[in-house]
Amino acid sequence: MAALGLLAQHPGSGYDLLKRFEKSMANVWPATQSQLYGELNKLADAGLIEVSEVGPRGRKEYRVTDAGRAELLRWMTHPQDDPPSRSSQLLRVFLLSEIPREKAREHMLAFADYADAEFNRLEQLRDAISWSDDDISFYGRAALEYGLRLEAMQAQWARWVVEEIDARD
């Protein structure tokens, strides 16, 4: 749905889409080049997107079809259809009792450091973007703000876990 959503905002080639992913959506839905091109083929086969232009060296530009817009709207308005959320990070925390306490503490400190680094990366990204007043920028910034707040909370929570580990000694 990520590729379909980006194409609904602006038609583009696979390369254009990859660059837009890297600049915006990669913070919430990362994708590799091979995943993205594979997804474009699936969307085209399903009739959700179509080639709107073929340029030099066979460069294809895609646009969303009416069926694609309908599917995007259906997906956006039915979050109950999403698969259950899973977190490998929290599963590791749940199982920290299986390793020595000092290793558990190190793990949580690394967790906090990673969250801090991601927070700083997102701050730099936020500050590097020339935001406009359109809806795409507004909602993109809202998603980025969620990421900033999530990373800040995760760093704070991980440090709390470290304090609780220390208090157990």
Side-chain angles (χ1 to χ4, degrees):
M1 283 301 144
L4 186 62
L6 284 179
L7 287 172
Q9 291 176 340
H10 294 291
S13 68
Y15 178 80
D16 296 335
L17 214 52
L18 185 62
K19 291 302 165 197
R20 287 178 28 218
F21 250 94
E22 290 170 357
K23 213 172 142 182
S24 62
M25 201 174 283
N27 299 306
V28 295
W29 200 268
T32 64
Q33 182 177 356
S34 61
Q35 288 171 326
L36 186 56
Y37 280 94
E39 186 64 19
L40 288 174
N41 289 330
K42 289 178 193 172
L43 292 170
D45 290 346
L48 302 178
I49 64 172
E50 63 188 5
V51 175
S52 58
E53 185 178 317
V54 178
R57 298 181 312 271
R59 178 187 179 272
K60 295 178 185 174
E61 184 170 285
Y62 297 92
R63 68 174 168 221
V64 173
T65 63
D66 290 341
R69 284 196 184 278
E71 177 56 20
L72 182 62
L73 178 61
R74 187 212 58 77
W75 177 80
M76 290 179 64
T77 57
H78 290 84
Q80 68 274 14
D81 294 346
D82 289 353
S85 184
R86 291 183 174 167
S87 170
S88 55
Q89 291 176 332
L90 285 179
L91 178 57
R92 284 185 186 93
V93 172
F94 185 82
L95 298 172
L96 282 178
S97 63
E98 299 303 311
I99 63 176
R101 196 173 283 175
E102 186 53 37
K103 291 289 183 191
R105 186 180 191 285
E106 288 173 17
H107 174 81
M108 293 311 300
L109 286 172
F111 190 114
D113 289 345
Y114 180 80
D116 285 337
E118 280 298 293
F119 180 87
N120 291 334
R121 185 184 67 79
L122 292 175
E123 266 191 328
Q124 290 172 1
L125 178 63
R126 180 199 61 205
D127 296 345
I129 294 174
S130 298
W131 300 99
S132 64
D133 287 336
D134 64 7
D135 284 349
I136 293 171
S137 285
F138 173 76
Y139 292 113
R141 180 142 188 204
L144 186 61
E145 182 65 28
Y146 174 86
L148 284 163
R149 292 176 188 211
L150 180 63
E151 296 301 340
M153 182 280 301
Q154 287 183 339
Q156 180 185 22
W157 168 78
R159 287 188 178 86
W160 171 82
V161 174
V162 170
E163 289 173 9
E164 293 297 310
I165 290 170
D166 291 346
R168 297 178 61 77
D169 286 337

